[in-house]
Amino acid sequence: MTHDHDLELRPTAAQISAALNPPPGRNGGDLVVETLAGLGATTVFGLPGQHALGMFDALRRSDLRYIGLRVENNAGFAADAYGRITGEAAPLLLSTGPGALTSLAALQEARAASAPVLAISSQIPTAGLGGGRHGYLHELPDQSASFRGVVKTVHTVRTQSQIPSAIAEAWKSALTAPHGPVWVEIPQDVLLAPTLLPVVTAVDATPEDVLPRPELTAVAADLLSKASRPAIIAGGGVVRADASKKLRQLAEKLQAPVVTTPGGKGAFPWTHPLSLQSWLEDRYTTDFLEDADVVLVVGSGLGELSSNYHTFAPRGRVVQIEADLGKLESNHPALGIHADAWHGLQALLETVTERADTSAPVRVAELLGKVRERIASQELTLEQGVLESVRRALPANSPSFWDMTILAYWAWSAFDAKGPNHLHSAQGAGGLGYGFPAALGAAAADPTRPVLAVSGDGGALYSIAELATAKQYDLNVTWLIVDDGGYGILREYMTDAFGEATATELTRPDYVALAESFGVRGVRTSPEALESDLAKALGEPGPSVVVLPAVLRMFAATHLG
């Protein structure tokens, strides 16, 4: 009896011939790039190093496009953004020891934001593995241990025959919900040694679906159908699962107001009658959600930023759909459903009963009116005007990448992303330096539309070297640097807490002249000219820098009293 899968596994004559006669001059690095190509990768990011030269030499024998950044952490941010935009596991090629370790902060952000990154690093020669102290260059007692608490999975290769399967297993892990970074390390001698193994041509690494248990979705559907005041909190899992349409259909069927978390920006239409927008750092919104008799949380762990700094205390039932098992009920008791957002929402759509509730849009409008009044009372005209200028200048379908800076904190609450997967920030792990290199990765993923990066001057200094990358690859990124002479948000925090700030003031360069020294267009703007200057920069191909000297303030926190 012949099974269908037997036919699928039977090699063709051409495959047999190619396997028996592999091309000369290949090494272990070729097995890496051949496997990546076989998995569907088209672009890789990274930085060469002595132990990794076997991989980088193999790149010139492949069709993979290489984007080389100047700092490993920035290469990690670029790969993170490429993964967010494309949904692919972005390969990140690194060298041993210092090169590998420099990527840790970027991989932490990718893990926190569930961005698929396939990090492949070299290792010291095989003879040095095992924790002995042999004195190899870049040697660590256990390099993989430095990554095990940061990435989803770790894979150590010791022979060339292990390379295709290890990379395929890592790829599958990166793309199985919740997405995330994975780590593969390959010793220098394995990468450099000649290989007679056949060319890697077909690699199967299909990610697994995370499906909800039907008895749980049946209970959830019953709770939501019978609720009198349901509400929905939509997190980044909705965006990553491409489940925004499902979310809208369910909200409309239930007449349930929806608020999006910073990671879920754009998951629900900003101006929809049921849209609570993103004002989670607002006590009025917190009160509204606490008053709901059933709260559906989709694709969020209700962490610090998504719970108004853990002041949210729901009085009704909570239903939580979450692909990350560790986040289920981690902050609030709930009916926890382990599933990715698309499958979880689809199951609810098939089982909930439609609700009629004409009061929901009225309650939403009343809430947003209260939020506007609160902000208007704080004399924040400059901040609101700057954010509105950015929104008007940025094309509706362009993605934006925001560093940890005051304008980004405003954007989490007040910026209309105009669609899912359009606004990204480093709010997952909260490290500086994300915005510009991430935007470069997004521009490499889709060169047909301009990309905006937003940084403060403190965060910008983390990424200046990547102006060379932007110029070298002519990436279509406009970088808005809000220059307030220091770490602005820390200045505010310290002044509020201690009466004065320490270690927050910075000597900084002339950013326009610095950009021009890299051959990148630069312009100094003002709040009044920002919209036109930014729109012009975004409308011209290639990289550019727009510098806005301005001291912005945050709106008053509502979780402290």
Side-chain angles (χ1 to χ4, degrees):
M1 180 177 179
T2 301
H3 298 282
D4 288 343
H5 65 267
D6 293 330
L7 297 175
E8 293 172 4
L9 294 173
R10 188 175 297 164
T12 65
Q15 288 173 324
I16 293 173
S17 175
L20 294 175
N21 300 282
R26 294 164 62 244
N27 60 23
D30 287 273
L31 297 173
V32 173
V33 299
E34 289 165 7
T35 303
L36 292 175
L39 288 165
T42 59
T43 302
V44 301
F45 300 88
L47 203 69
Q50 182 175 329
H51 287 178
L53 294 182
M55 283 193 294
F56 284 84
D57 176 62
L59 281 176
R60 65 184 173 88
R61 292 186 290 278
S62 80
D63 293 327
L64 294 175
R65 176 178 59 154
Y66 170 65
I67 305 291
L69 286 93
R70 302 314 195 259
V71 183
E72 288 86 354
N73 199 49
N74 294 336
F77 286 142
D80 165 307
Y82 188 96
R84 297 193 199 196
I85 293 296
T86 64
E88 300 173 7
L92 171 64
L93 306 185
L94 302 168
S95 192
T96 319
L101 296 176
T102 303
S103 73
L104 274 168
L107 296 176
Q108 183 190 7
E109 174 58 38
R111 180 69 183 275
S114 297
V117 176
L118 174 57
I120 304 176
S121 165
S122 57
Q123 247 290 22
I124 59 175
T126 309
L129 298 180
R133 301 298 288 167
H134 303 284
Y136 287 106
L137 180 70
H138 305 326
E139 181 177 349
L140 290 165
D142 184 357
Q143 178 175 277
S144 64
S146 298
F147 294 86
R148 197 164 282 116
V150 176
V151 300
K152 280 186 70 178
T153 52
V154 171
H155 312 259
T156 298
V157 168
R158 291 177 181 268
T159 66
Q160 290 184 343
S161 61
Q162 295 175 1
I163 289 174
S165 294
I167 292 176
E169 185 181 350
W171 178 281
K172 181 178 179 179
S173 174
L175 290 174
T176 295
H179 295 172
V182 293
W183 184 258
V184 180
E185 54 183 32
I186 308 171
Q188 178 189 27
D189 53 321
V190 175
L191 290 171
L192 290 176
T195 185
L196 295 176
L197 290 173
V199 174
V200 184
T201 55
V203 189
D204 182 17
T206 305
E208 299 173 1
D209 290 328
V210 183
L211 303 174
R213 287 165 46 198
E215 73 273 18
L216 295 178
T217 54
V219 174
D222 184 66
L223 288 171
L224 290 164
S225 300
K226 294 176 179 177
S228 58
R229 297 179 311 284
I232 299 174
I233 301 174
V238 177
V239 175
R240 290 185 293 275
D242 195 19
S244 299
K245 291 181 180 178
K246 300 292 182 187
L247 174 65
R248 179 172 181 169
Q249 291 169 354
L250 183 66
E252 291 175 346
K253 195 170 184 178
L254 293 172
Q255 283 299 291
V258 179
V259 64
T260 56
T261 71
K265 295 286 293 186
F268 195 74
W270 189 255
T271 57
H272 192 285
L274 294 171
S275 176
L276 297 169
Q277 299 178 358
S278 302
W279 288 98
L280 280 167
E281 287 190 53
D282 184 279
R283 190 64 223 177
Y284 291 128
T285 303
T286 307
D287 291 341
F288 186 101
L289 294 171
E290 288 180 351
D291 185 56
D293 54 346
V294 180
V295 178
L296 172 62
V297 183
V298 189
S300 171
L302 288 184
E304 187 175 41
L305 294 179
S306 302
S307 61
N308 203 1
Y309 298 91
H310 294 303
T311 61
F312 171 51
R315 294 190 294 272
R317 291 292 301 273
V318 176
V319 177
Q320 185 183 15
I321 299 173
E322 174 56 54
D324 188 335
L325 189 61
K327 292 181 179 179
L328 275 183
E329 298 191 76
S330 61
N331 285 306
H332 297 281
L335 175 64
I337 301 174
H338 183 218
D340 76 65
W342 195 97
H343 289 100
L345 289 169
Q346 177 62 28
L348 292 181
L349 273 172
E350 294 171 356
T351 48
V352 297
T353 302
E354 189 166 352
R355 293 180 66 256
D357 183 0
T358 57
S359 72
V362 175
R363 290 187 291 118
V364 168
E366 289 175 350
L367 168 66
L368 294 178
K370 291 179 180 178
V371 173
R372 282 193 296 269
E373 289 176 7
R374 182 177 75 85
I375 298 299
S377 69
Q378 297 175 38
E379 299 181 359
L380 296 165
T381 305
L382 170 63
E383 290 75 7
Q384 289 177 290
V386 167
L387 197 64
E388 290 165 2
S389 293
V390 174
R391 178 62 277 172
R392 288 192 298 265
L394 183 66
N397 68 337
S398 281
S400 56
F401 291 82
W402 303 66
D403 215 330
M404 298 296 286
T405 186
I406 287 177
L407 194 60
Y409 303 162
W410 270 91
W412 293 345
S413 295
F415 195 79
D416 178 4
K418 299 289 186 184
N421 211 25
H422 284 179
L423 187 149
H424 301 274
S425 70
Q427 55 86 27
L432 274 176
Y434 175 80
F436 186 52
L440 298 180
D446 183 0
T448 66
R449 51 184 178 167
V451 181
L452 175 67
V454 181
S455 299
D457 54 297
L461 289 170
Y462 278 64
S463 311
I464 287 297
E466 304 311 337
L467 284 169
T469 302
K471 180 63 177 178
Q472 180 171 346
Y473 298 99
D474 197 30
L475 295 170
N476 198 10
V477 174
T478 292
W479 191 9
L480 173 61
I481 300 174
V482 182
D483 184 359
D484 67 0
Y487 300 118
I489 193 64
L490 300 180
R491 180 191 289 141
E492 278 203 16
Y493 289 162
M494 293 191 78
T495 301
D496 290 345
F498 310 115
E500 59 182 297
T502 304
T504 60
E505 306 314 298
L506 298 173
T507 297
R508 69 275 194 200
D510 180 336
Y511 287 103
V512 172
L514 186 57
E516 291 173 344
S517 75
F518 283 91
V520 173
R521 296 187 307 274
V523 62
R524 183 172 286 98
T525 189
S526 64
E528 295 76 20
L530 175 60
E531 181 182 346
S532 59
D533 286 339
L534 196 57
K536 181 181 179 182
L538 287 160
E540 296 175 346
S544 58
V545 172
V546 177
V547 181
L548 173 65
V551 177
L552 305 180
R553 295 189 298 125
M554 274 301 294
F555 49 81
T558 65
H559 64 280
L560 300 177

